[in-house]
């Protein structure tokens, strides 16, 4: 087994614990520290993941170029407290610039993905103090939207259980989402006197469509993973016992593709959505040129050679064979 190490939590997380929030110590007591692999765990490129913090409200484990980030407050259904949000921002920022990671899987500990924002620490403890609320709100916004949505790596939400309210933002910020059939979803805000705020309303409208989004926003009714897949909130739903295997299978497939191409494809899709056709035409052309400069393994050239000259693969049925030691 490769040796692993853990280091002290970042100052930002320590500060958040002292000045912003204090999650239940029962979440942390007895937990093993987050551990990340050394070079022996990584693939043939030889690049080592540098994400190696010992967090309290999340865990990060990087193996074979896949970083699994777990919201880790199971006794609170992984509700997102200010400290958890601070740790997520720190972890995702490190992952953002980590050349040893190609994929990110976001999930939750126990039987929940996340129950949304921590009502006590995020809402009640900042009530009447607009500056305090803006401070914790901006940290949450930063990781859930700005960082997660714009990571260069492909991101997969692995929804293992409860997903409510504010949990819809990190869910929809991920590029792909696989759910357990048994997972329970809900836009429950109307049940306790608020609206789905932040970016929740906009994101569910884009993912689920007008009528479906409006129905669940107004009724607050829960629904399961199969329904989430049916309405387009997630890509697919499988029995809980098969969830890990399905996400691992998808991750393995994506790791076989050129990461520079995947990064540019997701950037092009996300940003062109808000453009008119003329702007999207020019933007897409510019991104295609950027890819040729960004792609160090020369995927375009290699793919055409394998198809036209070597007759070794069919683009519609699979990916070209990436060169040994390829690095994007």
């Amino acid at each position: 087994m490769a040796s692993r190490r853990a280091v002290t939590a970042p100052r930002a997380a320590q500060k958040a614990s002292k000045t912003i929030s204090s999650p239940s110590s029962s979440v942390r007591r007895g937990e093993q520290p987050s551990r990340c692999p050394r070079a022996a765990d990584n693939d043939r490129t030889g690049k080592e993941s540098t994400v190696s913090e010992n967090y309290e409200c999340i865990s990060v484990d990087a193996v074979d170029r896949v970083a699994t980030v777990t919201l880790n407050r199971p006794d609170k259904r992984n509700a997102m407290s200010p400290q958890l949000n601070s740790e997520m921002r720190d972890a995702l920022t490190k992952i953002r610039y980590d050349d040893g990671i190609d994929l990110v899987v976001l999930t939750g500990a126990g039987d929940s993905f996340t129950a949304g924002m921590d009502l006590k620490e995020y809402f009640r403890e900042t009530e009447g103090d607009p500056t305090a609320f803006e401070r914790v709100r901006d940290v949450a916004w930063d990781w859930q939207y700005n960082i997660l949505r714009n990571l260069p790596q492909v991101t997969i939400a692995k929804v293992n259980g409860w997903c409510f309210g504010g949990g819809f933002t990190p869910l929809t910020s991920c590029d792909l989402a696989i759910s357990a059939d048994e997972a329970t979803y809900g836009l429950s805000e109307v049940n306790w006197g608020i609206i789905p705020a932040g970016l929740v309303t906009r994101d569910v409208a884009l993912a689920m469509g007008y009528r479906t989004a409006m129905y669940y926003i107004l009724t607050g009714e829960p629904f399961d993973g199969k329904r989430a897949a049916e309405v387009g909130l997630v890509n697919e739903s499988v029995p809980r016992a098969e969830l890990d295997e399905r996400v691992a299978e998808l991750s393995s497939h994506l790791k076989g593709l050129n990461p520079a191409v995947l990064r540019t494809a997701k950037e092009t899709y996300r940003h062109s959505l808000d453009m008119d056709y003329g702007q999207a035409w020019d933007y897409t052309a510019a991104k295609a040129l950027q890819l040729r400069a960004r792609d160090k393994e020369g995927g375009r050239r290699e793919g055409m050679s394998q198809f036209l000259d070597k007759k070794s693969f069919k683009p519609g049925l699979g990916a070209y064979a990436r060169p040994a030691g390829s690095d994007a």
Side-chain angles (χ1 to χ4, degrees):
M1 178 179 294
S3 60
R4 295 174 181 260
R5 64 187 176 88
V7 298
T8 305
R11 291 182 180 178
Q14 293 176 342
K15 183 177 180 181
S17 177
K18 294 178 181 178
T19 63
I20 298 177
S21 64
S22 179
S24 171
S25 60
S26 63
V27 177
R28 305 187 292 270
R29 193 170 295 134
E31 288 182 358
Q32 294 298 315
S34 309
R35 299 179 298 174
C36 295
R38 294 183 182 273
D41 289 322
N42 290 301
D43 72 358
R44 61 178 181 251
T45 65
K47 286 190 175 180
E48 177 184 356
S49 170
T50 59
V51 183
S52 56
E53 302 293 350
N54 182 21
Y55 298 106
E56 295 181 322
C57 296
I58 67 172
S59 66
V60 181
D61 193 35
V63 177
D64 195 20
R65 305 188 68 79
V66 178
T68 299
V69 183
T70 303
L71 308 181
N72 194 24
R73 301 181 73 210
D75 66 331
K76 300 293 185 181
R77 294 196 184 277
N78 302 320
M80 295 178 286
S81 65
Q83 182 180 355
L84 182 148
N85 289 329
S86 179
E87 292 181 3
M88 283 298 300
R89 180 171 67 173
D90 184 85
L92 292 182
T93 299
K94 288 180 169 62
I95 289 171
R96 164 72 176 80
Y97 299 106
D98 193 327
D99 290 332
I101 294 174
D102 290 334
L103 291 164
V104 178
V105 175
L106 178 64
T107 191
D111 62 358
S112 299
F113 181 69
T114 175
M117 290 301 184
D118 186 305
L119 300 189
K120 177 177 181 292
E121 296 185 28
Y122 186 83
F123 289 106
R124 174 166 286 180
E125 291 183 2
T126 61
E127 193 171 8
D129 188 340
T131 299
F133 177 72
E134 288 174 7
R135 183 184 299 114
V136 298
R137 179 203 60 192
D138 289 351
V139 174
W141 158 277
D142 202 19
W143 84 260
Q144 293 177 16
Y145 183 81
N146 289 333
I147 303 176
L148 180 59
R149 189 165 301 214
N150 293 298
L151 283 177
Q153 298 92 345
V154 175
T155 55
I156 303 171
K158 183 169 75 173
V159 187
N160 54 308
W162 291 72
C163 180
F164 277 79
F168 278 63
T169 297
L171 167 62
T172 55
S173 286
C174 288
D175 303 316
L176 304 170
I178 309 296
S179 176
D181 292 342
E182 299 88 341
T184 303
Y185 297 81
L187 295 167
S188 56
E189 285 86 346
V190 295
N191 293 335
W192 61 283
I194 67 170
I195 64 171
L199 291 170
V200 173
T201 294
R202 183 178 189 276
D203 284 339
V204 297
L206 289 174
M208 300 166 66
Y210 177 86
R211 289 296 180 193
T212 303
M214 186 67 81
Y215 181 86
Y216 288 113
I217 287 171
L218 294 181
T219 65
E221 289 182 5
F223 54 97
D224 63 14
K226 291 181 179 179
R227 178 61 175 163
E230 181 181 305
V231 299
L233 182 61
V234 301
N235 295 99
E236 61 184 272
S237 183
V238 299
R240 177 65 183 86
E242 300 174 15
L243 182 62
D244 290 346
E245 180 181 358
R246 177 64 187 111
V247 172
E249 179 184 61
L250 178 59
S251 298
S252 179
H253 172 75
L254 291 167
K255 284 193 300 177
L257 301 174
N258 185 323
V261 174
L262 294 179
R263 173 183 180 178
T264 307
K266 63 179 270 185
E267 290 172 348
T268 302
Y269 175 76
R270 283 197 183 277
H271 293 300
S272 64
L273 287 175
D274 296 324
M275 300 177 183
D276 62 35
Y277 277 99
Q279 293 170 330
W281 177 274
D282 284 343
Y283 177 72
T284 302
K287 293 297 285 184
L289 289 175
Q290 181 193 49
L291 173 59
R292 295 177 70 173
R294 173 185 276 173
D295 180 14
K296 294 179 174 61
E297 73 179 57
R300 180 178 184 271
R301 180 182 63 255
E302 188 65 32
M304 285 196 295
S305 175
Q306 291 181 24
F307 176 63
L308 297 174
D309 304 325
K310 301 175 183 177
K311 311 295 184 183
S312 59
F313 95 113
K314 298 178 180 180
L317 301 179
Y320 72 89
R322 297 176 63 196
S326 61
D327 181 15

